[in-house]
Amino acid sequence: MSPMQQAVTVSPGETMKLGDVFQDLFGLSQAVGALRFQSTRKVVVAARSYNLTSAGLADSQGQFVAGMPSELAIGSGQKTSIPGITQPADGSFRSNFAMVETAGGTANVQVTLYDRDGVPVATKTYTLSPYEPKQVSLHSFSSSATVDGGRMDIKVLSGSGKVLTFASMVGNGTVSQDPSTLEMEYELTQGSGSGLTQVAHDSTLSGDGTSSSPLGIANGGVTSAALADSSVSSAKIANGAVTTAKISSSGASNGQVLKFNGSSVGWAADASGLTLPWSTQISSQTVAMNVENAKGVALSGHTAAAGVAAVSGLTSNASNGSFGVVGIGRYGGVEGLATLTSGWANGVRGVNRSNDGAGVYGISSGSSGTTYGVYGKTTSTSGGAAGVRGETGTAGADVYGVFGSSDSPYGVGVAGRAPYGGIEGEATSTSGDTIGIWGIANSPDGTGVWGTNNSTGSGAMGIVGETGGNSGWASGVRGVADGNAAIGTTGWNLGSGPGLYAWSETGNALIVKGAGTGDLAEIYDHSAGQLRWKVTHTGDVYADGSFHPNGADFAEMVPVRESGIEPGDVVALAIDGTLVKTTRPYQAAVVGVVSTKPGYQSDLYTDVPTGTKAALAVIGIVPVKATAANGPIRPGDMLTSSDIPGRAMAATHVRAGTIIGKAMEGLASGEGTIRMLVMLR
């Protein structure tokens, strides 16, 4: 909830009256809620809620409600009581109670009603949202609750919110309804801001101890003689307690330096030490302290403590260009060295707390040559070593481990170069929609991800996608298009090779699926701009040309009764309509030959498992297993079944319904496989 707010100014000693606070401050003609007052000084607030009558304010009916300090609000685990709750059975009085959340949190509140003897009558739990007021009549709290001079306990069970509460008792028999306000119980405590009214002291202290003039140490109030050895520890000196006015200027003279003699720190006339104060100009900037050493390290810091810095630089200026530490050198401005040979060590570490800043920011101002804002290099040959590594601990969207940006129209935001892998992206999450490498292009003619291989070898690949998944939509490469006229994946060859090539070692080389009513597949002659072949979503195939199958016949899939039926077998229909091998000459139920390699295969028995069906040749030329037991077979002979199971023989006479075809080649003796023109008659 976001409360409405208005500001008013009350002068010292002034009393401000608002006749209708909802209308005067917020422009509301009607409103129900709570008023929350916040002030820079202490104020007293009182209010009267009233109903206007035809006689005006003089005859209005109302109730006085005093302002309640928010410090009295109870929080989680605390409770308070409201005595005097009255709503007897005769209806002479009625009561209600109100609650309001004051801290901007959520509170779960338990309310319990007791009679005058302390016996519980009813209990109910309420949830208050941030700053939410709630007024409840005793009848809606418990329809059967009757009490005369009882009490109500209010307890905050849980939540970060805090609650103020009071009750109202109304005399039903009076003309003005006689409302009375019943306040919550509270305990007065001495606040932390009361302070001391006055403290007597000598000249070593300043101030009188009041809030407007707090007690402090006067200038020169503490001398070196007043401090015993080791009597002042860091815990006794608050941040900012010692100012320049409290340090005597006689501590050092011009030309002296701060020295340590082995037991104490003091000032001495030795120019080889650290001279303070010191100020000069370096690179047009004023420097408070400069350390120079022509023979070695100018400034060195050392600490054995964990989690602290040996040398720390800090600037309080928030403008751009202000730095805690600046290093300037002909070869390297700043060098960091981590001497650990194992574990997580950092040569240079940058930390940024701004929402828009950078942990480490590098600028190369050179206008030519191969320059780098940030350059990272590793000499390790172990796996996982990286010249530059970026990492983020934030789980939100648009957060990058490494982010590269280039303002050049032909520049590259991030470039990777290596003997084996130029750029590798890895998404380590084992669930959800993760992406190893993500490319985005905002131009209508741009490309999200572009891969180029400059090699002319047979195995050169522009982009290779590989997946270890083995189910669902696991894909080596997947293309997704959101527009109706866009294409999920496009294969394009500027030479004479194929635009798209599909390969599978053991499975299907290409699977096409369509979820809508459009065609499953379409093939165009691009030069003529004409559709040559398509498959509709219902399975119909259309071709603008001839069909040239490599098979030899047209076959129909038919269920079989027995196992062992093979291509070339002569088969007949059993009594249940399934296929069996023929077993006698001129068998009346013979239907033909099992196809070896059909050029077209139809299946009307889609409900029958594939392993229990055979392809029965109905049109074309097919191989047939034959025997010369009834005499040699010559090209042109009619063929029928024989007494050898599944074998055809030459028919010496024609019986209707027993001829399966005409021999296209001969068989002089024994058994063999010959070609036959299918012609069942």
Side-chain angles (χ1 to χ4, degrees):
M1 176 183 296
S2 298
M4 300 174 62
Q5 296 183 352
Q6 286 291 350
V8 296
T9 300
V10 181
S11 301
E14 178 188 1
T15 299
M16 175 176 288
K17 177 183 177 182
L18 298 171
D20 187 340
V21 68
F22 289 111
Q23 177 65 45
D24 295 346
L25 287 186
F26 303 105
L28 300 174
S29 59
Q30 292 183 346
V32 177
L35 292 173
R36 180 168 178 256
F37 294 86
Q38 293 177 288
S39 175
T40 57
R41 296 288 187 271
K42 291 183 178 181
V43 294
V44 176
V45 179
R48 176 178 180 263
S49 61
Y50 60 90
N51 294 325
L52 283 174
T53 65
S54 58
L57 288 173
D59 195 37
S60 62
Q61 300 174 354
Q63 178 179 355
F64 170 79
V65 180
M68 303 176 68
S70 60
E71 291 82 2
L72 303 181
I74 58 175
S76 178
Q78 296 179 315
K79 72 176 183 178
T80 186
S81 298
I82 303 175
I85 303 297
T86 300
Q87 186 167 294
D90 61 6
S92 57
F93 289 90
R94 70 179 186 273
S95 293
N96 58 67
F97 64 94
M99 300 177 289
V100 62
E101 198 287 317
T102 65
T106 301
N108 297 313
V109 185
Q110 176 182 282
V111 181
T112 304
L113 178 66
Y114 295 87
D115 64 13
R116 66 172 58 189
D117 296 322
V119 177
V121 176
T123 298
K124 198 168 183 179
T125 302
Y126 300 88
T127 298
L128 294 180
S129 300
Y131 304 116
E132 178 186 6
K134 188 182 293 291
Q135 183 168 349
V136 183
S137 68
L138 207 62
H139 179 75
S140 62
F141 171 74
S142 175
S143 59
S144 60
T146 59
V147 63
D148 190 359
R151 84 172 193 274
M152 182 170 284
D153 284 1
I154 294 90
K155 182 177 182 181
V156 179
L157 299 177
S158 61
S160 60
K162 291 193 173 184
V163 177
L164 287 173
T165 181
F166 71 94
S168 177
M169 182 177 65
V170 181
N172 290 327
T174 62
V175 175
S176 61
Q177 297 290 291
D178 187 28
S180 300
T181 301
L182 307 178
E183 295 185 351
M184 60 181 276
E185 295 178 349
Y186 56 88
E187 180 179 354
L188 287 175
T189 59
Q190 182 66 46
S192 61
S194 58
L196 299 174
T197 57
Q198 191 171 10
V199 176
H201 56 79
D202 58 17
S203 60
T204 60
L205 300 179
S206 64
D208 59 10
T210 63
S211 60
S212 61
S213 181
L215 199 63
I217 299 176
N219 292 340
V222 180
T223 64
S224 58
L227 299 177
D229 290 344
S230 303
S231 63
V232 180
S233 62
S234 58
K236 294 181 180 179
I237 302 177
N239 290 339
V242 180
T243 62
T244 56
K246 293 182 172 62
I247 301 178
S248 174
S249 61
S250 61
S253 61
N254 188 26
Q256 289 184 322
V257 297
L258 188 64
K259 301 289 290 185
F260 179 67
N261 61 12
S263 61
S264 63
V265 175
W267 300 98
D270 186 353
S272 63
L274 182 63
T275 303
L276 293 176
W278 199 90
S279 179
T280 188
Q281 290 281 329
I282 297 179
S283 299
S284 302
Q285 296 184 4
T286 301
V287 179
M289 183 182 70
N290 182 41
V291 180
E292 295 184 7
N293 191 339
K295 297 181 179 180
V297 177
L299 180 63
S300 175
H302 176 269
T303 177
V308 297
V311 176
S312 176
L314 174 66
T315 176
S316 59
N317 193 302
S319 62
N320 190 14
S322 300
F323 302 98
V325 175
V326 174
I328 300 175
R330 293 182 180 275
Y331 179 77
V334 174
E335 177 178 345
L337 173 64
T339 59
L340 283 177
T341 57
S342 63
W344 184 261
N346 301 285
V348 174
R349 178 183 178 187
V351 178
N352 169 57
R353 295 178 180 175
S354 171
N355 294 334
D356 300 318
V360 174
Y361 183 75
I363 298 177
S364 177
S365 58
S367 58
S368 62
T370 305
T371 63
Y372 304 96
V374 174
Y375 181 83
K377 180 180 181 180
T378 177
T379 58
S380 173
T381 58
S382 301
V388 174
R389 174 177 176 178
E391 182 176 340
T392 174
T394 304
D398 297 330
V399 178
Y400 309 96
V402 174
F403 181 82
S405 176
S406 173
D407 295 329
S408 172
Y410 301 104
V412 178
V414 174
R417 181 179 296 172
Y420 179 76
I423 293 180
E424 176 181 340
E426 179 181 359
T428 59
S429 177
T430 57
S431 62
D433 192 2
T434 63
I435 300 170
I437 294 179
W438 176 284
I440 298 176
N442 295 321
S443 169
D445 300 320
T447 302
V449 175
W450 177 283
T452 300
N453 190 321
N454 294 322
S455 172
T456 58
S458 61
M461 306 286 182
I463 293 179
V464 173
E466 182 176 351
T467 178
N470 196 29
S471 62
W473 286 102
S475 307
V477 174
R478 179 184 178 188
V480 178
D482 296 327
N484 294 332
I487 301 171
T489 301
T490 299
W492 197 288
N493 192 320
L494 300 178
S496 59
L500 185 64
Y501 184 80
W503 173 276
S504 175
E505 293 288 344
T506 58
N508 298 323
L510 181 65
I511 294 177
V512 179
K513 290 185 179 182
T517 59
D519 295 337
L520 296 179
E522 294 181 353
I523 297 178
Y524 288 81
D525 180 353
H526 180 69
S527 60
Q530 294 181 351
L531 177 65
R532 296 300 189 189
W533 181 88
K534 72 175 181 179
V535 179
T536 68
H537 73 281
T538 58
D540 295 332
V541 180
Y542 295 86
D544 188 8
S546 300
F547 184 62
H548 301 274
N550 238 354
D553 61 276
F554 180 96
E556 292 276 1
M557 295 298 291
V558 181
V560 299
R561 169 183 277 191
E562 58 188 24
S563 61
I565 292 181
E566 300 175 342
D569 285 340
V570 181
V571 292
L573 285 178
I575 191 172
D576 61 354
T578 59
L579 297 180
V580 295
K581 290 182 182 181
T582 56
T583 57
R584 55 186 182 276
Y586 300 99
Q587 191 166 337
V590 68
V591 291
V593 180
V594 177
S595 176
T596 301
K597 185 180 180 183
Y600 184 89
Q601 181 174 290
S602 179
D603 188 0
L604 296 179
Y605 296 91
T606 56
D607 56 334
V608 178
T610 303
T612 60
K613 295 183 288 188
L616 177 65
V618 294
I619 298 175
I621 297 176
V622 296
V624 61
K625 296 178 182 178
T627 176
N630 197 33
I633 299 175
R634 291 180 292 273
D637 285 347
M638 295 294 185
L639 300 180
T640 185
S641 60
S642 68
D643 55 1
I644 300 176
R647 300 298 188 270
M649 69 177 186
T652 57
H653 55 279
V654 177
R655 293 183 182 177
T658 64
I659 303 301
I660 60 174
K662 182 173 289 189
M664 299 296 292
E665 54 188 4
L667 179 64
S669 61
E671 294 185 6
T673 300
I674 63 175
R675 293 183 178 89
M676 179 194 78
L677 176 64
V678 178
M679 44 185 300
L680 185 64
R681 51 185 296 184

